[in-house]
Amino acid sequence: MSGAGNTNKKQRIDKILSHMGIGSRSDIRKQAKQGLITVNGAVVKDSGFHVDSAQDVIEVGGEPVLYREFIYLMMNKPPGVLSATEDKRDRTVLDLLKAEQALFEPFPVGRLDKDTVGLLLLTNDGKLAHELLSPRKHVPKTYEATVEGEVDAADVAAFAAGVELEDGYVTLPASLRILSRERGSRVLSYISLTITEGKFHQVKRMFVAVGKKVVFLKRVSMGDLKLDESLPQGACRELTAEELELLRRGGAEE
Ligand code: URA
């Protein structure tokens, strides 16, 4: 387990141990009463005892517990779920997490529409999330889309210059690539688009601005972090140390 994310702030030992999946708060209270928990070698019977997880050595039943505060998850978001933390009607991406991932209380970094699929980052590291979402950082996000209509060189030029959305906002320059086209009963264009901002429904609205309609949308990268295509839709895994580093670098750029 990496040491990334450790901080020096003191926290209740039952909170730390339940985060680590050692048991519920009441399990931990019982273990503490039984004298099974030690901090720096001394038995701690009070499960509300405060410890410094970066410095103190916590052991349960003689086994050291390696604590970390943060979790960083990559999800391949499926269609039909909301990238929100709760909703009265619909399932959210949090409903797809395993119990041991949910313990860390991660939240989605930014939003994908209900029907959008692909790369979604979830973390409980508010600072990194804030940096990645900050409009000042212009973190590039690349999408692949199927668009109804013939996306052409004029659209590529328009996106490179910035297009005016229906509310009058002019988007920052975006890089549009036409991957292929299909001519059946209707023309479909397969494209890749990189934008450096994150206005509501931005990709769909940019195509509406040039008279076209997105019928499928998938995010494939955020900064230098790429979607792991071997991750099935709806599945989630922790970022590797290398991926986390790539993401941090992206968030740090001005
Ligand atoms: N742009 C959109 O229109 N929808 C998304 O989900 C993401 C970007």
Side-chain angles (χ1 to χ4, degrees), residues 137-168:
K137 305 278 179 174
H138 301 306
V139 173
K141 281 149 292 223
T142 298
Y143 295 85
E144 287 178 0
T146 308
V147 179
E148 223 170 56
E150 183 150 346
V151 178
D152 58 17
D155 298 325
V156 173
F159 280 22
V163 287
E164 185 174 335
L165 304 182
E166 79 296 340
D167 61 358

mmCIF file of all heavy atoms in Angstrom, residues 137-168:
data_model
loop_
_atom_site.group_PDB
_atom_site.id
_atom_site.type_symbol
_atom_site.label_atom_id
_atom_site.label_comp_id
_atom_site.label_asym_id
_atom_site.label_seq_id
_atom_site.Cartn_x
_atom_site.Cartn_y
_atom_site.Cartn_z
ATOM 1 N N LYS A 137 -7.187 25.447 -14.526
ATOM 2 C CA LYS A 137 -6.166 24.446 -14.874
ATOM 3 C C LYS A 137 -6.305 23.914 -16.300
ATOM 4 O O LYS A 137 -5.371 23.346 -16.835
ATOM 5 C CB LYS A 137 -6.242 23.254 -13.899
ATOM 6 C CG LYS A 137 -6.140 23.621 -12.450
ATOM 7 C CD LYS A 137 -4.698 23.816 -12.029
ATOM 8 C CE LYS A 137 -4.667 24.198 -10.570
ATOM 9 N NZ LYS A 137 -3.345 24.286 -10.020
ATOM 10 N N HIS A 138 -7.493 24.044 -16.879
ATOM 11 C CA HIS A 138 -7.721 23.582 -18.257
ATOM 12 C C HIS A 138 -7.264 22.147 -18.468
ATOM 13 O O HIS A 138 -6.558 21.837 -19.433
ATOM 14 C CB HIS A 138 -7.007 24.495 -19.260
ATOM 15 C CG HIS A 138 -7.443 25.913 -19.171
ATOM 16 N ND1 HIS A 138 -8.768 26.291 -19.258
ATOM 17 C CD2 HIS A 138 -6.745 27.057 -18.976
ATOM 18 C CE1 HIS A 138 -8.856 27.598 -19.134
ATOM 19 N NE2 HIS A 138 -7.652 28.094 -18.941
ATOM 20 N N VAL A 139 -7.612 21.265 -17.553
ATOM 21 C CA VAL A 139 -7.236 19.857 -17.710
ATOM 22 C C VAL A 139 -7.958 19.300 -18.949
ATOM 23 O O VAL A 139 -9.186 19.379 -19.034
ATOM 24 C CB VAL A 139 -7.618 19.042 -16.445
ATOM 25 C CG1 VAL A 139 -7.387 17.552 -16.662
ATOM 26 C CG2 VAL A 139 -6.821 19.540 -15.242
ATOM 27 N N PRO A 140 -7.208 18.769 -19.937
ATOM 28 C CA PRO A 140 -7.871 18.273 -21.149
ATOM 29 C C PRO A 140 -8.661 16.984 -20.884
ATOM 30 O O PRO A 140 -8.196 16.117 -20.143
ATOM 31 C CB PRO A 140 -6.711 18.006 -22.120
ATOM 32 C CG PRO A 140 -5.499 17.916 -21.273
ATOM 33 C CD PRO A 140 -5.756 18.653 -19.993
ATOM 34 N N LYS A 141 -9.831 16.906 -21.478
ATOM 35 C CA LYS A 141 -10.646 15.693 -21.377
ATOM 36 C C LYS A 141 -10.980 15.253 -22.797
ATOM 37 O O LYS A 141 -11.432 16.074 -23.607
ATOM 38 C CB LYS A 141 -11.951 15.991 -20.615
ATOM 39 C CG LYS A 141 -11.726 16.031 -19.101
ATOM 40 C CD LYS A 141 -12.655 16.974 -18.402
ATOM 41 C CE LYS A 141 -12.345 18.386 -18.764
ATOM 42 N NZ LYS A 141 -12.333 19.404 -17.756
ATOM 43 N N THR A 142 -10.691 13.992 -23.093
ATOM 44 C CA THR A 142 -10.946 13.512 -24.457
ATOM 45 C C THR A 142 -12.135 12.555 -24.459
ATOM 46 O O THR A 142 -12.237 11.670 -23.602
ATOM 47 C CB THR A 142 -9.683 12.847 -25.038
ATOM 48 O OG1 THR A 142 -8.652 13.844 -25.090
ATOM 49 C CG2 THR A 142 -9.920 12.312 -26.446
ATOM 50 N N TYR A 143 -13.000 12.791 -25.426
ATOM 51 C CA TYR A 143 -14.211 11.986 -25.593
ATOM 52 C C TYR A 143 -14.205 11.348 -26.967
ATOM 53 O O TYR A 143 -13.678 11.927 -27.924
ATOM 54 C CB TYR A 143 -15.456 12.877 -25.496
ATOM 55 C CG TYR A 143 -15.644 13.501 -24.134
ATOM 56 C CD1 TYR A 143 -15.002 14.693 -23.801
ATOM 57 C CD2 TYR A 143 -16.437 12.888 -23.178
ATOM 58 C CE1 TYR A 143 -15.155 15.264 -22.548
ATOM 59 C CE2 TYR A 143 -16.602 13.454 -21.925
ATOM 60 C CZ TYR A 143 -15.949 14.638 -21.616
ATOM 61 O OH TYR A 143 -16.108 15.187 -20.369
ATOM 62 N N GLU A 144 -14.809 10.179 -27.064
ATOM 63 C CA GLU A 144 -15.120 9.610 -28.378
ATOM 64 C C GLU A 144 -16.635 9.628 -28.492
ATOM 65 O O GLU A 144 -17.331 9.359 -27.496
ATOM 66 C CB GLU A 144 -14.571 8.184 -28.481
ATOM 67 C CG GLU A 144 -13.052 8.207 -28.619
ATOM 68 C CD GLU A 144 -12.413 6.838 -28.689
ATOM 69 O OE1 GLU A 144 -13.138 5.823 -28.622
ATOM 70 O OE2 GLU A 144 -11.171 6.798 -28.766
ATOM 71 N N ALA A 145 -17.109 9.970 -29.672
ATOM 72 C CA ALA A 145 -18.559 10.093 -29.824
ATOM 73 C C ALA A 145 -19.012 9.597 -31.184
ATOM 74 O O ALA A 145 -18.247 9.582 -32.149
ATOM 75 C CB ALA A 145 -18.974 11.558 -29.662
ATOM 76 N N THR A 146 -20.268 9.165 -31.212
ATOM 77 C CA THR A 146 -20.947 8.906 -32.474
ATOM 78 C C THR A 146 -21.912 10.068 -32.664
ATOM 79 O O THR A 146 -22.681 10.391 -31.750
ATOM 80 C CB THR A 146 -21.737 7.578 -32.411
ATOM 81 O OG1 THR A 146 -20.857 6.548 -31.960
ATOM 82 C CG2 THR A 146 -22.329 7.213 -33.763
ATOM 83 N N VAL A 147 -21.807 10.688 -33.833
ATOM 84 C CA VAL A 147 -22.596 11.899 -34.090
ATOM 85 C C VAL A 147 -23.470 11.658 -35.316
ATOM 86 O O VAL A 147 -22.991 11.136 -36.332
ATOM 87 C CB VAL A 147 -21.649 13.107 -34.339
ATOM 88 C CG1 VAL A 147 -22.440 14.372 -34.637
ATOM 89 C CG2 VAL A 147 -20.722 13.314 -33.156
ATOM 90 N N GLU A 148 -24.748 12.025 -35.191
ATOM 91 C CA GLU A 148 -25.649 11.908 -36.331
ATOM 92 C C GLU A 148 -25.364 13.071 -37.270
ATOM 93 O O GLU A 148 -25.398 14.229 -36.826
ATOM 94 C CB GLU A 148 -27.084 12.001 -35.822
ATOM 95 C CG GLU A 148 -28.021 11.000 -36.442
ATOM 96 C CD GLU A 148 -29.358 10.991 -35.716
ATOM 97 O OE1 GLU A 148 -29.980 12.067 -35.618
ATOM 98 O OE2 GLU A 148 -29.729 9.928 -35.224
ATOM 99 N N GLY A 149 -25.100 12.759 -38.518
ATOM 100 C CA GLY A 149 -24.782 13.812 -39.490
ATOM 101 C C GLY A 149 -23.335 13.704 -39.927
ATOM 102 O O GLY A 149 -22.557 12.916 -39.369
ATOM 103 N N GLU A 150 -22.987 14.505 -40.923
ATOM 104 C CA GLU A 150 -21.645 14.420 -41.499
ATOM 105 C C GLU A 150 -20.740 15.473 -40.854
ATOM 106 O O GLU A 150 -20.790 16.649 -41.232
ATOM 107 C CB GLU A 150 -21.720 14.605 -43.017
ATOM 108 C CG GLU A 150 -20.382 14.457 -43.672
ATOM 109 C CD GLU A 150 -20.495 13.908 -45.101
ATOM 110 O OE1 GLU A 150 -21.567 13.399 -45.483
ATOM 111 O OE2 GLU A 150 -19.491 14.007 -45.812
ATOM 112 N N VAL A 151 -19.950 15.048 -39.899
ATOM 113 C CA VAL A 151 -18.983 15.969 -39.281
ATOM 114 C C VAL A 151 -17.880 16.195 -40.320
ATOM 115 O O VAL A 151 -17.354 15.236 -40.894
ATOM 116 C CB VAL A 151 -18.411 15.375 -37.962
ATOM 117 C CG1 VAL A 151 -17.374 16.309 -37.363
ATOM 118 C CG2 VAL A 151 -19.530 15.099 -36.962
ATOM 119 N N ASP A 152 -17.560 17.456 -40.578
ATOM 120 C CA ASP A 152 -16.615 17.726 -41.666
ATOM 121 C C ASP A 152 -15.537 18.735 -41.254
ATOM 122 O O ASP A 152 -15.489 19.169 -40.090
ATOM 123 C CB ASP A 152 -17.359 18.212 -42.924
ATOM 124 C CG ASP A 152 -18.182 19.461 -42.637
ATOM 125 O OD1 ASP A 152 -17.921 20.121 -41.593
ATOM 126 O OD2 ASP A 152 -19.085 19.778 -43.434
ATOM 127 N N ALA A 153 -14.718 19.097 -42.226
ATOM 128 C CA ALA A 153 -13.582 19.992 -41.962
ATOM 129 C C ALA A 153 -14.047 21.344 -41.420
ATOM 130 O O ALA A 153 -13.346 21.977 -40.612
ATOM 131 C CB ALA A 153 -12.764 20.179 -43.235
ATOM 132 N N ALA A 154 -15.240 21.782 -41.828
ATOM 133 C CA ALA A 154 -15.754 23.070 -41.335
ATOM 134 C C ALA A 154 -16.011 22.972 -39.820
ATOM 135 O O ALA A 154 -15.763 23.929 -39.071
ATOM 136 C CB ALA A 154 -17.032 23.439 -42.074
ATOM 137 N N ASP A 155 -16.480 21.812 -39.375
ATOM 138 C CA ASP A 155 -16.717 21.619 -37.930
ATOM 139 C C ASP A 155 -15.387 21.590 -37.164
ATOM 140 O O ASP A 155 -15.276 22.142 -36.073
ATOM 141 C CB ASP A 155 -17.483 20.315 -37.680
ATOM 142 C CG ASP A 155 -18.849 20.319 -38.335
ATOM 143 O OD1 ASP A 155 -19.470 21.404 -38.390
ATOM 144 O OD2 ASP A 155 -19.282 19.253 -38.809
ATOM 145 N N VAL A 156 -14.392 20.936 -37.780
ATOM 146 C CA VAL A 156 -13.065 20.878 -37.153
ATOM 147 C C VAL A 156 -12.543 22.303 -36.951
ATOM 148 O O VAL A 156 -12.062 22.662 -35.868
ATOM 149 C CB VAL A 156 -12.075 20.037 -38.009
ATOM 150 C CG1 VAL A 156 -10.662 20.110 -37.441
ATOM 151 C CG2 VAL A 156 -12.547 18.587 -38.118
ATOM 152 N N ALA A 157 -12.700 23.127 -37.990
ATOM 153 C CA ALA A 157 -12.230 24.521 -37.922
ATOM 154 C C ALA A 157 -13.041 25.315 -36.897
ATOM 155 O O ALA A 157 -12.488 26.100 -36.115
ATOM 156 C CB ALA A 157 -12.327 25.160 -39.305
ATOM 157 N N ALA A 158 -14.362 25.090 -36.905
ATOM 158 C CA ALA A 158 -15.227 25.824 -35.968
ATOM 159 C C ALA A 158 -14.862 25.477 -34.521
ATOM 160 O O ALA A 158 -14.762 26.359 -33.653
ATOM 161 C CB ALA A 158 -16.691 25.493 -36.243
ATOM 162 N N PHE A 159 -14.631 24.199 -34.236
ATOM 163 C CA PHE A 159 -14.288 23.782 -32.867
ATOM 164 C C PHE A 159 -12.915 24.327 -32.474
ATOM 165 O O PHE A 159 -12.685 24.683 -31.318
ATOM 166 C CB PHE A 159 -14.318 22.252 -32.739
ATOM 167 C CG PHE A 159 -15.710 21.673 -32.576
ATOM 168 C CD1 PHE A 159 -16.833 22.376 -32.990
ATOM 169 C CD2 PHE A 159 -15.896 20.420 -32.015
ATOM 170 C CE1 PHE A 159 -18.117 21.843 -32.841
ATOM 171 C CE2 PHE A 159 -17.169 19.889 -31.837
ATOM 172 C CZ PHE A 159 -18.284 20.591 -32.261
ATOM 173 N N ALA A 160 -12.002 24.393 -33.457
ATOM 174 C CA ALA A 160 -10.658 24.910 -33.162
ATOM 175 C C ALA A 160 -10.717 26.402 -32.817
ATOM 176 O O ALA A 160 -9.916 26.900 -32.012
ATOM 177 C CB ALA A 160 -9.732 24.675 -34.359
ATOM 178 N N ALA A 161 -11.693 27.085 -33.410
ATOM 179 C CA ALA A 161 -11.828 28.528 -33.142
ATOM 180 C C ALA A 161 -12.653 28.779 -31.881
ATOM 181 O O ALA A 161 -12.505 29.817 -31.229
ATOM 182 C CB ALA A 161 -12.494 29.197 -34.346
ATOM 183 N N GLY A 162 -13.527 27.822 -31.524
ATOM 184 C CA GLY A 162 -14.477 28.014 -30.418
ATOM 185 C C GLY A 162 -15.856 28.231 -31.011
ATOM 186 O O GLY A 162 -15.998 29.030 -31.954
ATOM 187 N N VAL A 163 -16.834 27.496 -30.504
ATOM 188 C CA VAL A 163 -18.197 27.646 -31.043
ATOM 189 C C VAL A 163 -19.088 28.330 -30.006
ATOM 190 O O VAL A 163 -18.860 28.206 -28.793
ATOM 191 C CB VAL A 163 -18.833 26.285 -31.451
ATOM 192 C CG1 VAL A 163 -18.214 25.748 -32.715
ATOM 193 C CG2 VAL A 163 -18.796 25.274 -30.330
ATOM 194 N N GLU A 164 -20.099 29.027 -30.529
ATOM 195 C CA GLU A 164 -21.020 29.725 -29.622
ATOM 196 C C GLU A 164 -22.168 28.788 -29.252
ATOM 197 O O GLU A 164 -22.875 28.282 -30.129
ATOM 198 C CB GLU A 164 -21.556 30.996 -30.299
ATOM 199 C CG GLU A 164 -22.409 31.810 -29.356
ATOM 200 C CD GLU A 164 -22.842 33.154 -29.948
ATOM 201 O OE1 GLU A 164 -22.148 33.675 -30.855
ATOM 202 O OE2 GLU A 164 -23.874 33.670 -29.494
ATOM 203 N N LEU A 165 -22.326 28.545 -27.950
ATOM 204 C CA LEU A 165 -23.420 27.683 -27.492
ATOM 205 C C LEU A 165 -24.720 28.484 -27.477
ATOM 206 O O LEU A 165 -24.707 29.709 -27.653
ATOM 207 C CB LEU A 165 -23.096 27.123 -26.098
ATOM 208 C CG LEU A 165 -21.771 26.346 -25.987
ATOM 209 C CD1 LEU A 165 -21.585 25.800 -24.571
ATOM 210 C CD2 LEU A 165 -21.714 25.195 -27.003
ATOM 211 N N GLU A 166 -25.818 27.782 -27.226
ATOM 212 C CA GLU A 166 -27.142 28.432 -27.337
ATOM 213 C C GLU A 166 -27.331 29.538 -26.309
ATOM 214 O O GLU A 166 -28.140 30.450 -26.503
ATOM 215 C CB GLU A 166 -28.262 27.374 -27.262
ATOM 216 C CG GLU A 166 -28.633 26.851 -25.871
ATOM 217 C CD GLU A 166 -27.536 26.089 -25.142
ATOM 218 O OE1 GLU A 166 -26.599 25.610 -25.791
ATOM 219 O OE2 GLU A 166 -27.637 25.984 -23.895
ATOM 220 N N ASP A 167 -26.531 29.515 -25.231
ATOM 221 C CA ASP A 167 -26.672 30.572 -24.216
ATOM 222 C C ASP A 167 -25.699 31.727 -24.460
ATOM 223 O O ASP A 167 -25.563 32.624 -23.619
ATOM 224 C CB ASP A 167 -26.458 29.993 -22.804
ATOM 225 C CG ASP A 167 -25.064 29.392 -22.631
ATOM 226 O OD1 ASP A 167 -24.273 29.389 -23.603
ATOM 227 O OD2 ASP A 167 -24.764 28.908 -21.523
ATOM 228 N N GLY A 168 -24.992 31.697 -25.600
ATOM 229 C CA GLY A 168 -24.100 32.799 -25.942
ATOM 230 C C GLY A 168 -22.651 32.567 -25.528
ATOM 231 O O GLY A 168 -21.757 33.313 -25.939
#
